[in-house]
Amino acid sequence: MRIYQEADYTAMSRRAANLISAEVVRKPDCVLGLATGSTPVGTYKQLRVWNRRGDFSFKEVRSVNLDEYRGLAPTHDQSYRYFMQANFFDHIDIRPENTHVPDGLAADTDVECARYDELIRSLGYADLQLLGLGRNGHIGFNEPCGRFVKETHVVDLTQSTIDANARFFASAGDVPRQALTMGVGCIMAARRILLIASGEDKADAVYNAFCGPIDPHCPASILQLHNDVILVGDKAALSKLTANKEVSVCK
Ligand code: GLP
């Protein structure tokens, strides 16, 4: 695992954008696994600037997003499809038909989950999977539970996640109770994983993910079994991890 400790959110975002753009330059038709949440907003912003400047193109890139709230239409301003359009896709030269987000309105979620897994398989899995990290150690919407779930599936969101995401909705009561999420199978099948984390409230989750036991009660801990993980965090998010003398940070 490679760890980059950056001074603050801006530097973290720039480093993450740098790693993603390097992948696009290396392989113009790469498959990017993409994430939502507030952490990647700065990364997307930086990529937009470089794309607009003509440094590289997303024209051949294919993307697969991690998750979507169940019951929200793509036009709902809190849906993850809407988030991706507003923060990224509408501002870059990616082809709309090459962007994929699970369908939160699917009448039959079993069919939708199977379709999504098949889609990712047919794309050859992600070359680079971007991940944020929930305060409870969740990745995508793989919530802490008794086992790692491999396939795309419907999850009941935990109270901690509902509370954390309530800031985006009028009230906690408006946060959907379920979501469709890529399982850890597709995440772990990505050739490279880039996890980004910012802020002191992620310090415990970062520590547990990389120094704790591999345990589905901290879903991100499965990443310890992946052979190409890059962790980019700001000082606050990495504070507990880097206090561990056995952890070394890239210069
Ligand atoms: C949501 C998303 C995750 C994201 C997490 C952390 O629950 N499903 O993919 O990593 O929130 O979000 P934030 O970056 O806003 O802290």
Side-chain angles (χ1 to χ4, degrees), residues 34-41 66-69 80 130-135 138-143 157 161 164-165 167-168 179 181 196-198 201-202:
L34 297 176
T36 53
S38 42
T39 313
V41 170
L66 284 165
D67 46 11
E68 179 58 285
Y69 285 116
Y80 283 168
L130 177 65
L131 293 177
L133 182 64
R135 286 157 192 74
H138 75 238
I139 45 176
F141 265 133
N142 289 275
E143 293 279 39
L157 302 182
T161 299
N165 292 354
R167 68 190 193 280
F168 301 114
T181 185
I196 55 176
S198 169
D201 59 343
K202 297 291 174 75

PDB file of all heavy atoms in Angstrom, residues 34-41 66-69 80 130-135 138-143 157 161 164-165 167-168 179 181 196-198 201-202, ligand 1:
ATOM      1  N   LEU A  34     -16.133   5.257  -9.778  1.00  0.00           N
ATOM      2  CA  LEU A  34     -16.245   6.587  -9.174  1.00  0.00           C
ATOM      3  C   LEU A  34     -17.108   6.585  -7.919  1.00  0.00           C
ATOM      4  O   LEU A  34     -17.957   5.709  -7.729  1.00  0.00           O
ATOM      5  CB  LEU A  34     -16.787   7.577 -10.210  1.00  0.00           C
ATOM      6  CG  LEU A  34     -15.867   7.776 -11.424  1.00  0.00           C
ATOM      7  CD1 LEU A  34     -16.516   8.703 -12.443  1.00  0.00           C
ATOM      8  CD2 LEU A  34     -14.489   8.294 -11.020  1.00  0.00           C
ATOM      9  N   ALA A  35     -16.865   7.596  -7.087  1.00  0.00           N
ATOM     10  CA  ALA A  35     -17.509   7.677  -5.779  1.00  0.00           C
ATOM     11  C   ALA A  35     -18.202   9.027  -5.616  1.00  0.00           C
ATOM     12  O   ALA A  35     -17.880   9.993  -6.307  1.00  0.00           O
ATOM     13  CB  ALA A  35     -16.452   7.512  -4.693  1.00  0.00           C
ATOM     14  N   THR A  36     -19.115   9.070  -4.669  1.00  0.00           N
ATOM     15  CA  THR A  36     -19.794  10.330  -4.337  1.00  0.00           C
ATOM     16  C   THR A  36     -19.441  10.718  -2.899  1.00  0.00           C
ATOM     17  O   THR A  36     -18.492  10.187  -2.335  1.00  0.00           O
ATOM     18  CB  THR A  36     -21.312  10.170  -4.503  1.00  0.00           C
ATOM     19  OG1 THR A  36     -21.701   9.025  -3.741  1.00  0.00           O
ATOM     20  CG2 THR A  36     -21.697   9.972  -5.951  1.00  0.00           C
ATOM     21  N   GLY A  37     -20.199  11.635  -2.321  1.00  0.00           N
ATOM     22  CA  GLY A  37     -19.885  12.123  -0.982  1.00  0.00           C
ATOM     23  C   GLY A  37     -19.136  13.446  -1.104  1.00  0.00           C
ATOM     24  O   GLY A  37     -18.766  13.857  -2.211  1.00  0.00           O
ATOM     25  N   SER A  38     -18.887  14.096   0.010  1.00  0.00           N
ATOM     26  CA  SER A  38     -18.217  15.399  -0.083  1.00  0.00           C
ATOM     27  C   SER A  38     -16.719  15.257  -0.328  1.00  0.00           C
ATOM     28  O   SER A  38     -16.103  16.157  -0.912  1.00  0.00           O
ATOM     29  CB  SER A  38     -18.486  16.243   1.162  1.00  0.00           C
ATOM     30  OG  SER A  38     -18.398  15.452   2.302  1.00  0.00           O
ATOM     31  N   THR A  39     -16.121  14.148   0.056  1.00  0.00           N
ATOM     32  CA  THR A  39     -14.662  14.022  -0.091  1.00  0.00           C
ATOM     33  C   THR A  39     -14.184  14.162  -1.539  1.00  0.00           C
ATOM     34  O   THR A  39     -13.227  14.902  -1.786  1.00  0.00           O
ATOM     35  CB  THR A  39     -14.177  12.691   0.527  1.00  0.00           C
ATOM     36  OG1 THR A  39     -14.789  12.545   1.824  1.00  0.00           O
ATOM     37  CG2 THR A  39     -12.666  12.684   0.686  1.00  0.00           C
ATOM     38  N   PRO A  40     -14.800  13.507  -2.526  1.00  0.00           N
ATOM     39  CA  PRO A  40     -14.256  13.618  -3.887  1.00  0.00           C
ATOM     40  C   PRO A  40     -14.598  14.908  -4.642  1.00  0.00           C
ATOM     41  O   PRO A  40     -14.119  15.091  -5.775  1.00  0.00           O
ATOM     42  CB  PRO A  40     -14.840  12.396  -4.625  1.00  0.00           C
ATOM     43  CG  PRO A  40     -15.973  11.924  -3.814  1.00  0.00           C
ATOM     44  CD  PRO A  40     -15.882  12.509  -2.456  1.00  0.00           C
ATOM     45  N   VAL A  41     -15.389  15.790  -4.048  1.00  0.00           N
ATOM     46  CA  VAL A  41     -15.810  17.001  -4.782  1.00  0.00           C
ATOM     47  C   VAL A  41     -14.606  17.800  -5.290  1.00  0.00           C
ATOM     48  O   VAL A  41     -14.544  18.209  -6.453  1.00  0.00           O
ATOM     49  CB  VAL A  41     -16.744  17.873  -3.905  1.00  0.00           C
ATOM     50  CG1 VAL A  41     -16.980  19.234  -4.541  1.00  0.00           C
ATOM     51  CG2 VAL A  41     -18.075  17.171  -3.672  1.00  0.00           C
ATOM     52  N   LEU A  66     -20.231   3.693  -7.698  1.00  0.00           N
ATOM     53  CA  LEU A  66     -20.373   2.699  -6.637  1.00  0.00           C
ATOM     54  C   LEU A  66     -21.802   2.420  -6.233  1.00  0.00           C
ATOM     55  O   LEU A  66     -22.157   1.276  -5.932  1.00  0.00           O
ATOM     56  CB  LEU A  66     -19.656   3.193  -5.375  1.00  0.00           C
ATOM     57  CG  LEU A  66     -18.146   3.116  -5.337  1.00  0.00           C
ATOM     58  CD1 LEU A  66     -17.620   3.974  -4.186  1.00  0.00           C
ATOM     59  CD2 LEU A  66     -17.711   1.668  -5.163  1.00  0.00           C
ATOM     60  N   ASP A  67     -22.621   3.482  -6.187  1.00  0.00           N
ATOM     61  CA  ASP A  67     -23.891   3.279  -5.495  1.00  0.00           C
ATOM     62  C   ASP A  67     -24.939   4.319  -5.872  1.00  0.00           C
ATOM     63  O   ASP A  67     -24.644   5.304  -6.552  1.00  0.00           O
ATOM     64  CB  ASP A  67     -23.670   3.264  -3.973  1.00  0.00           C
ATOM     65  CG  ASP A  67     -22.773   4.407  -3.488  1.00  0.00           C
ATOM     66  OD1 ASP A  67     -22.500   5.324  -4.276  1.00  0.00           O
ATOM     67  OD2 ASP A  67     -22.350   4.362  -2.323  1.00  0.00           O
ATOM     68  N   GLU A  68     -26.153   4.067  -5.411  1.00  0.00           N
ATOM     69  CA  GLU A  68     -27.270   4.994  -5.631  1.00  0.00           C
ATOM     70  C   GLU A  68     -28.316   4.749  -4.551  1.00  0.00           C
ATOM     71  O   GLU A  68     -28.514   3.610  -4.108  1.00  0.00           O
ATOM     72  CB  GLU A  68     -27.893   4.765  -7.020  1.00  0.00           C
ATOM     73  CG  GLU A  68     -29.075   5.657  -7.366  1.00  0.00           C
ATOM     74  CD  GLU A  68     -28.761   7.167  -7.315  1.00  0.00           C
ATOM     75  OE1 GLU A  68     -28.665   7.692  -6.197  1.00  0.00           O
ATOM     76  OE2 GLU A  68     -28.629   7.772  -8.394  1.00  0.00           O
ATOM     77  N   TYR A  69     -28.949   5.813  -4.119  1.00  0.00           N
ATOM     78  CA  TYR A  69     -30.051   5.658  -3.158  1.00  0.00           C
ATOM     79  C   TYR A  69     -31.219   4.954  -3.825  1.00  0.00           C
ATOM     80  O   TYR A  69     -31.570   5.275  -4.971  1.00  0.00           O
ATOM     81  CB  TYR A  69     -30.537   7.024  -2.692  1.00  0.00           C
ATOM     82  CG  TYR A  69     -29.619   7.721  -1.719  1.00  0.00           C
ATOM     83  CD1 TYR A  69     -28.993   8.909  -2.057  1.00  0.00           C
ATOM     84  CD2 TYR A  69     -29.402   7.200  -0.440  1.00  0.00           C
ATOM     85  CE1 TYR A  69     -28.166   9.571  -1.155  1.00  0.00           C
ATOM     86  CE2 TYR A  69     -28.578   7.852   0.469  1.00  0.00           C
ATOM     87  CZ  TYR A  69     -27.968   9.034   0.107  1.00  0.00           C
ATOM     88  OH  TYR A  69     -27.160   9.676   0.996  1.00  0.00           O
ATOM     89  N   TYR A  80     -27.352  10.161  -6.520  1.00  0.00           N
ATOM     90  CA  TYR A  80     -25.924  10.132  -6.865  1.00  0.00           C
ATOM     91  C   TYR A  80     -25.703  10.372  -8.358  1.00  0.00           C
ATOM     92  O   TYR A  80     -24.663  10.876  -8.760  1.00  0.00           O
ATOM     93  CB  TYR A  80     -25.296   8.827  -6.378  1.00  0.00           C
ATOM     94  CG  TYR A  80     -25.053   8.844  -4.872  1.00  0.00           C
ATOM     95  CD1 TYR A  80     -24.730   7.679  -4.186  1.00  0.00           C
ATOM     96  CD2 TYR A  80     -25.128  10.027  -4.134  1.00  0.00           C
ATOM     97  CE1 TYR A  80     -24.484   7.697  -2.814  1.00  0.00           C
ATOM     98  CE2 TYR A  80     -24.891  10.056  -2.768  1.00  0.00           C
ATOM     99  CZ  TYR A  80     -24.572   8.893  -2.111  1.00  0.00           C
ATOM    100  OH  TYR A  80     -24.317   8.912  -0.758  1.00  0.00           O
ATOM    101  N   LEU A 130     -12.020   4.705  -7.335  1.00  0.00           N
ATOM    102  CA  LEU A 130     -11.942   5.757  -6.326  1.00  0.00           C
ATOM    103  C   LEU A 130     -12.918   5.430  -5.194  1.00  0.00           C
ATOM    104  O   LEU A 130     -14.068   5.073  -5.455  1.00  0.00           O
ATOM    105  CB  LEU A 130     -12.313   7.101  -6.979  1.00  0.00           C
ATOM    106  CG  LEU A 130     -12.357   8.325  -6.067  1.00  0.00           C
ATOM    107  CD1 LEU A 130     -10.975   8.659  -5.517  1.00  0.00           C
ATOM    108  CD2 LEU A 130     -12.933   9.527  -6.821  1.00  0.00           C
ATOM    109  N   LEU A 131     -12.472   5.578  -3.964  1.00  0.00           N
ATOM    110  CA  LEU A 131     -13.343   5.321  -2.810  1.00  0.00           C
ATOM    111  C   LEU A 131     -13.244   6.451  -1.797  1.00  0.00           C
ATOM    112  O   LEU A 131     -12.144   6.957  -1.538  1.00  0.00           O
ATOM    113  CB  LEU A 131     -12.910   4.046  -2.071  1.00  0.00           C
ATOM    114  CG  LEU A 131     -13.039   2.692  -2.741  1.00  0.00           C
ATOM    115  CD1 LEU A 131     -12.475   1.614  -1.810  1.00  0.00           C
ATOM    116  CD2 LEU A 131     -14.498   2.379  -3.075  1.00  0.00           C
ATOM    117  N   GLY A 132     -14.389   6.811  -1.219  1.00  0.00           N
ATOM    118  CA  GLY A 132     -14.394   7.610  -0.002  1.00  0.00           C
ATOM    119  C   GLY A 132     -14.508   6.631   1.154  1.00  0.00           C
ATOM    120  O   GLY A 132     -14.439   5.408   0.958  1.00  0.00           O
ATOM    121  N   LEU A 133     -14.698   7.139   2.330  1.00  0.00           N
ATOM    122  CA  LEU A 133     -14.782   6.265   3.496  1.00  0.00           C
ATOM    123  C   LEU A 133     -15.838   6.791   4.450  1.00  0.00           C
ATOM    124  O   LEU A 133     -15.806   7.972   4.824  1.00  0.00           O
ATOM    125  CB  LEU A 133     -13.401   6.257   4.188  1.00  0.00           C
ATOM    126  CG  LEU A 133     -13.218   5.368   5.405  1.00  0.00           C
ATOM    127  CD1 LEU A 133     -13.363   3.884   5.054  1.00  0.00           C
ATOM    128  CD2 LEU A 133     -11.841   5.615   6.034  1.00  0.00           C
ATOM    129  N   GLY A 134     -16.778   5.931   4.814  1.00  0.00           N
ATOM    130  CA  GLY A 134     -17.780   6.333   5.798  1.00  0.00           C
ATOM    131  C   GLY A 134     -17.152   6.389   7.191  1.00  0.00           C
ATOM    132  O   GLY A 134     -16.144   5.726   7.452  1.00  0.00           O
ATOM    133  N   ARG A 135     -17.768   7.164   8.065  1.00  0.00           N
ATOM    134  CA  ARG A 135     -17.225   7.263   9.432  1.00  0.00           C
ATOM    135  C   ARG A 135     -17.252   5.918  10.141  1.00  0.00           C
ATOM    136  O   ARG A 135     -16.493   5.671  11.063  1.00  0.00           O
ATOM    137  CB  ARG A 135     -18.027   8.297  10.242  1.00  0.00           C
ATOM    138  CG  ARG A 135     -17.706   9.720   9.839  1.00  0.00           C
ATOM    139  CD  ARG A 135     -18.829  10.687  10.195  1.00  0.00           C
ATOM    140  NE  ARG A 135     -18.622  11.980   9.545  1.00  0.00           N
ATOM    141  CZ  ARG A 135     -18.813  12.210   8.233  1.00  0.00           C
ATOM    142  NH1 ARG A 135     -19.222  11.236   7.424  1.00  0.00           N
ATOM    143  NH2 ARG A 135     -18.599  13.408   7.735  1.00  0.00           N
ATOM    144  N   HIS A 138     -17.566   2.304   6.168  1.00  0.00           N
ATOM    145  CA  HIS A 138     -18.209   1.759   4.964  1.00  0.00           C
ATOM    146  C   HIS A 138     -17.532   2.256   3.694  1.00  0.00           C
ATOM    147  O   HIS A 138     -16.929   3.329   3.667  1.00  0.00           O
ATOM    148  CB  HIS A 138     -19.725   1.998   4.953  1.00  0.00           C
ATOM    149  CG  HIS A 138     -20.191   3.379   4.646  1.00  0.00           C
ATOM    150  ND1 HIS A 138     -20.971   4.117   5.507  1.00  0.00           N
ATOM    151  CD2 HIS A 138     -20.033   4.174   3.553  1.00  0.00           C
ATOM    152  CE1 HIS A 138     -21.268   5.277   4.970  1.00  0.00           C
ATOM    153  NE2 HIS A 138     -20.702   5.343   3.773  1.00  0.00           N
ATOM    154  N   ILE A 139     -17.595   1.437   2.660  1.00  0.00           N
ATOM    155  CA  ILE A 139     -17.109   1.819   1.332  1.00  0.00           C
ATOM    156  C   ILE A 139     -18.265   1.590   0.358  1.00  0.00           C
ATOM    157  O   ILE A 139     -18.947   0.572   0.452  1.00  0.00           O
ATOM    158  CB  ILE A 139     -15.831   1.037   0.904  1.00  0.00           C
ATOM    159  CG1 ILE A 139     -15.945  -0.458   1.209  1.00  0.00           C
ATOM    160  CG2 ILE A 139     -14.600   1.646   1.543  1.00  0.00           C
ATOM    161  CD1 ILE A 139     -14.762  -1.289   0.709  1.00  0.00           C
ATOM    162  N   GLY A 140     -18.448   2.538  -0.581  1.00  0.00           N
ATOM    163  CA  GLY A 140     -19.691   2.534  -1.340  1.00  0.00           C
ATOM    164  C   GLY A 140     -20.777   2.654  -0.286  1.00  0.00           C
ATOM    165  O   GLY A 140     -20.708   3.511   0.597  1.00  0.00           O
ATOM    166  N   PHE A 141     -21.747   1.749  -0.330  1.00  0.00           N
ATOM    167  CA  PHE A 141     -22.701   1.678   0.775  1.00  0.00           C
ATOM    168  C   PHE A 141     -22.625   0.297   1.423  1.00  0.00           C
ATOM    169  O   PHE A 141     -23.608  -0.211   1.950  1.00  0.00           O
ATOM    170  CB  PHE A 141     -24.120   1.986   0.302  1.00  0.00           C
ATOM    171  CG  PHE A 141     -24.537   3.416   0.478  1.00  0.00           C
ATOM    172  CD1 PHE A 141     -25.164   4.104  -0.548  1.00  0.00           C
ATOM    173  CD2 PHE A 141     -24.320   4.092   1.670  1.00  0.00           C
ATOM    174  CE1 PHE A 141     -25.565   5.427  -0.398  1.00  0.00           C
ATOM    175  CE2 PHE A 141     -24.715   5.410   1.841  1.00  0.00           C
ATOM    176  CZ  PHE A 141     -25.331   6.078   0.800  1.00  0.00           C
ATOM    177  N   ASN A 142     -21.448  -0.310   1.373  1.00  0.00           N
ATOM    178  CA  ASN A 142     -21.263  -1.579   2.090  1.00  0.00           C
ATOM    179  C   ASN A 142     -21.125  -1.242   3.558  1.00  0.00           C
ATOM    180  O   ASN A 142     -20.074  -0.822   4.024  1.00  0.00           O
ATOM    181  CB  ASN A 142     -20.006  -2.299   1.591  1.00  0.00           C
ATOM    182  CG  ASN A 142     -20.179  -2.846   0.193  1.00  0.00           C
ATOM    183  OD1 ASN A 142     -20.700  -3.942   0.003  1.00  0.00           O
ATOM    184  ND2 ASN A 142     -19.782  -2.059  -0.803  1.00  0.00           N
ATOM    185  N   GLU A 143     -22.224  -1.423   4.267  1.00  0.00           N
ATOM    186  CA  GLU A 143     -22.282  -1.051   5.675  1.00  0.00           C
ATOM    187  C   GLU A 143     -21.685  -2.160   6.543  1.00  0.00           C
ATOM    188  O   GLU A 143     -21.628  -3.329   6.128  1.00  0.00           O
ATOM    189  CB  GLU A 143     -23.744  -0.834   6.081  1.00  0.00           C
ATOM    190  CG  GLU A 143     -24.406   0.371   5.424  1.00  0.00           C
ATOM    191  CD  GLU A 143     -24.061   1.698   6.121  1.00  0.00           C
ATOM    192  OE1 GLU A 143     -22.908   1.890   6.551  1.00  0.00           O
ATOM    193  OE2 GLU A 143     -24.968   2.543   6.208  1.00  0.00           O
ATOM    194  N   LEU A 157     -29.482   1.216   5.165  1.00  0.00           N
ATOM    195  CA  LEU A 157     -28.462   2.117   5.679  1.00  0.00           C
ATOM    196  C   LEU A 157     -28.486   2.132   7.200  1.00  0.00           C
ATOM    197  O   LEU A 157     -29.563   2.058   7.817  1.00  0.00           O
ATOM    198  CB  LEU A 157     -28.683   3.533   5.133  1.00  0.00           C
ATOM    199  CG  LEU A 157     -28.679   3.616   3.598  1.00  0.00           C
ATOM    200  CD1 LEU A 157     -28.854   5.061   3.145  1.00  0.00           C
ATOM    201  CD2 LEU A 157     -27.384   3.046   3.024  1.00  0.00           C
ATOM    202  N   THR A 161     -24.949   6.264   9.123  1.00  0.00           N
ATOM    203  CA  THR A 161     -24.858   6.767   7.751  1.00  0.00           C
ATOM    204  C   THR A 161     -26.003   7.733   7.454  1.00  0.00           C
ATOM    205  O   THR A 161     -25.803   8.777   6.817  1.00  0.00           O
ATOM    206  CB  THR A 161     -24.869   5.577   6.766  1.00  0.00           C
ATOM    207  OG1 THR A 161     -23.729   4.762   7.062  1.00  0.00           O
ATOM    208  CG2 THR A 161     -24.815   6.025   5.322  1.00  0.00           C
ATOM    209  N   ALA A 164     -25.113  10.898   9.105  1.00  0.00           N
ATOM    210  CA  ALA A 164     -24.004  11.586   8.432  1.00  0.00           C
ATOM    211  C   ALA A 164     -24.474  12.239   7.130  1.00  0.00           C
ATOM    212  O   ALA A 164     -24.004  13.311   6.762  1.00  0.00           O
ATOM    213  CB  ALA A 164     -22.867  10.603   8.155  1.00  0.00           C
ATOM    214  N   ASN A 165     -25.398  11.587   6.434  1.00  0.00           N
ATOM    215  CA  ASN A 165     -25.833  12.112   5.141  1.00  0.00           C
ATOM    216  C   ASN A 165     -27.031  13.057   5.242  1.00  0.00           C
ATOM    217  O   ASN A 165     -27.430  13.669   4.253  1.00  0.00           O
ATOM    218  CB  ASN A 165     -26.131  10.950   4.175  1.00  0.00           C
ATOM    219  CG  ASN A 165     -24.854  10.215   3.789  1.00  0.00           C
ATOM    220  OD1 ASN A 165     -23.757  10.640   4.143  1.00  0.00           O
ATOM    221  ND2 ASN A 165     -24.974   9.125   3.072  1.00  0.00           N
ATOM    222  N   ARG A 167     -27.149  15.891   6.393  1.00  0.00           N
ATOM    223  CA  ARG A 167     -26.795  17.281   6.098  1.00  0.00           C
ATOM    224  C   ARG A 167     -27.145  17.692   4.664  1.00  0.00           C
ATOM    225  O   ARG A 167     -27.260  18.877   4.380  1.00  0.00           O
ATOM    226  CB  ARG A 167     -25.315  17.538   6.401  1.00  0.00           C
ATOM    227  CG  ARG A 167     -24.323  16.815   5.491  1.00  0.00           C
ATOM    228  CD  ARG A 167     -22.907  16.961   6.067  1.00  0.00           C
ATOM    229  NE  ARG A 167     -21.847  16.575   5.152  1.00  0.00           N
ATOM    230  CZ  ARG A 167     -21.470  15.312   4.918  1.00  0.00           C
ATOM    231  NH1 ARG A 167     -22.090  14.310   5.529  1.00  0.00           N
ATOM    232  NH2 ARG A 167     -20.481  15.063   4.083  1.00  0.00           N
ATOM    233  N   PHE A 168     -27.289  16.715   3.782  1.00  0.00           N
ATOM    234  CA  PHE A 168     -27.608  17.036   2.394  1.00  0.00           C
ATOM    235  C   PHE A 168     -29.112  17.124   2.138  1.00  0.00           C
ATOM    236  O   PHE A 168     -29.548  17.546   1.080  1.00  0.00           O
ATOM    237  CB  PHE A 168     -27.008  15.973   1.450  1.00  0.00           C
ATOM    238  CG  PHE A 168     -25.516  15.859   1.576  1.00  0.00           C
ATOM    239  CD1 PHE A 168     -24.922  14.707   2.078  1.00  0.00           C
ATOM    240  CD2 PHE A 168     -24.694  16.919   1.198  1.00  0.00           C
ATOM    241  CE1 PHE A 168     -23.543  14.603   2.197  1.00  0.00           C
ATOM    242  CE2 PHE A 168     -23.315  16.823   1.307  1.00  0.00           C
ATOM    243  CZ  PHE A 168     -22.737  15.665   1.810  1.00  0.00           C
ATOM    244  N   ALA A 179     -30.187   1.650  -0.161  1.00  0.00           N
ATOM    245  CA  ALA A 179     -29.390   2.027  -1.338  1.00  0.00           C
ATOM    246  C   ALA A 179     -28.981   0.764  -2.081  1.00  0.00           C
ATOM    247  O   ALA A 179     -29.011  -0.344  -1.520  1.00  0.00           O
ATOM    248  CB  ALA A 179     -28.147   2.790  -0.900  1.00  0.00           C
ATOM    249  N   THR A 181     -25.743  -0.843  -3.846  1.00  0.00           N
ATOM    250  CA  THR A 181     -24.295  -0.621  -3.847  1.00  0.00           C
ATOM    251  C   THR A 181     -23.537  -1.760  -4.506  1.00  0.00           C
ATOM    252  O   THR A 181     -23.940  -2.924  -4.421  1.00  0.00           O
ATOM    253  CB  THR A 181     -23.761  -0.443  -2.398  1.00  0.00           C
ATOM    254  OG1 THR A 181     -22.366  -0.122  -2.458  1.00  0.00           O
ATOM    255  CG2 THR A 181     -23.927  -1.688  -1.544  1.00  0.00           C
ATOM    256  N   ILE A 196      -9.632   8.016  -0.614  1.00  0.00           N
ATOM    257  CA  ILE A 196      -9.334   9.370  -0.153  1.00  0.00           C
ATOM    258  C   ILE A 196     -10.105   9.641   1.141  1.00  0.00           C
ATOM    259  O   ILE A 196     -11.240   9.183   1.317  1.00  0.00           O
ATOM    260  CB  ILE A 196      -9.655  10.430  -1.235  1.00  0.00           C
ATOM    261  CG1 ILE A 196     -11.100  10.338  -1.719  1.00  0.00           C
ATOM    262  CG2 ILE A 196      -8.689  10.301  -2.407  1.00  0.00           C
ATOM    263  CD1 ILE A 196     -11.488  11.421  -2.726  1.00  0.00           C
ATOM    264  N   ALA A 197      -9.464  10.377   2.033  1.00  0.00           N
ATOM    265  CA  ALA A 197     -10.100  10.679   3.318  1.00  0.00           C
ATOM    266  C   ALA A 197      -9.630  12.036   3.812  1.00  0.00           C
ATOM    267  O   ALA A 197      -8.459  12.387   3.679  1.00  0.00           O
ATOM    268  CB  ALA A 197      -9.751   9.601   4.349  1.00  0.00           C
ATOM    269  N   SER A 198     -10.561  12.780   4.357  1.00  0.00           N
ATOM    270  CA  SER A 198     -10.232  14.118   4.839  1.00  0.00           C
ATOM    271  C   SER A 198     -10.942  14.391   6.162  1.00  0.00           C
ATOM    272  O   SER A 198     -12.113  14.057   6.323  1.00  0.00           O
ATOM    273  CB  SER A 198     -10.673  15.143   3.784  1.00  0.00           C
ATOM    274  OG  SER A 198     -10.601  16.446   4.300  1.00  0.00           O
ATOM    275  N   ASP A 201     -12.713  13.540  11.670  1.00  0.00           N
ATOM    276  CA  ASP A 201     -13.772  12.560  11.945  1.00  0.00           C
ATOM    277  C   ASP A 201     -13.620  11.277  11.122  1.00  0.00           C
ATOM    278  O   ASP A 201     -14.406  10.346  11.268  1.00  0.00           O
ATOM    279  CB  ASP A 201     -15.169  13.184  11.759  1.00  0.00           C
ATOM    280  CG  ASP A 201     -15.402  13.711  10.365  1.00  0.00           C
ATOM    281  OD1 ASP A 201     -14.407  13.900   9.627  1.00  0.00           O
ATOM    282  OD2 ASP A 201     -16.573  13.936  10.000  1.00  0.00           O
ATOM    283  N   LYS A 202     -12.593  11.233  10.252  1.00  0.00           N
ATOM    284  CA  LYS A 202     -12.311   9.989   9.519  1.00  0.00           C
ATOM    285  C   LYS A 202     -11.107   9.253  10.100  1.00  0.00           C
ATOM    286  O   LYS A 202     -10.774   8.157   9.639  1.00  0.00           O
ATOM    287  CB  LYS A 202     -12.042  10.295   8.033  1.00  0.00           C
ATOM    288  CG  LYS A 202     -13.205  10.912   7.276  1.00  0.00           C
ATOM    289  CD  LYS A 202     -14.339   9.925   7.078  1.00  0.00           C
ATOM    290  CE  LYS A 202     -15.562  10.555   6.449  1.00  0.00           C
ATOM    291  NZ  LYS A 202     -15.453  10.822   5.046  1.00  0.00           N
TER     292      LYS A 202
HETATM  293  C1  GLP B   1     -21.686   8.014   1.400  1.00  0.00           C
HETATM  294  C2  GLP B   1     -21.235   7.292   0.130  1.00  0.00           C
HETATM  295  C3  GLP B   1     -19.816   6.792   0.233  1.00  0.00           C
HETATM  296  C4  GLP B   1     -18.928   7.878   0.793  1.00  0.00           C
HETATM  297  C5  GLP B   1     -19.375   8.216   2.183  1.00  0.00           C
HETATM  298  C6  GLP B   1     -18.515   9.269   2.862  1.00  0.00           C
HETATM  299  O1  GLP B   1     -22.355   7.221   2.304  1.00  0.00           O
HETATM  300  N1  GLP B   1     -22.084   6.204  -0.215  1.00  0.00           N
HETATM  301  O2  GLP B   1     -19.384   6.355  -1.042  1.00  0.00           O
HETATM  302  O3  GLP B   1     -17.591   7.457   0.801  1.00  0.00           O
HETATM  303  O4  GLP B   1     -20.704   8.691   2.123  1.00  0.00           O
HETATM  304  O5  GLP B   1     -18.965  10.537   2.490  1.00  0.00           O
HETATM  305  P1  GLP B   1     -18.216  11.877   2.725  1.00  0.00           P
HETATM  306  O6  GLP B   1     -17.128  11.914   1.714  1.00  0.00           O
HETATM  307  O7  GLP B   1     -19.241  12.940   2.479  1.00  0.00           O
HETATM  308  O8  GLP B   1     -17.699  11.869   4.113  1.00  0.00           O
END
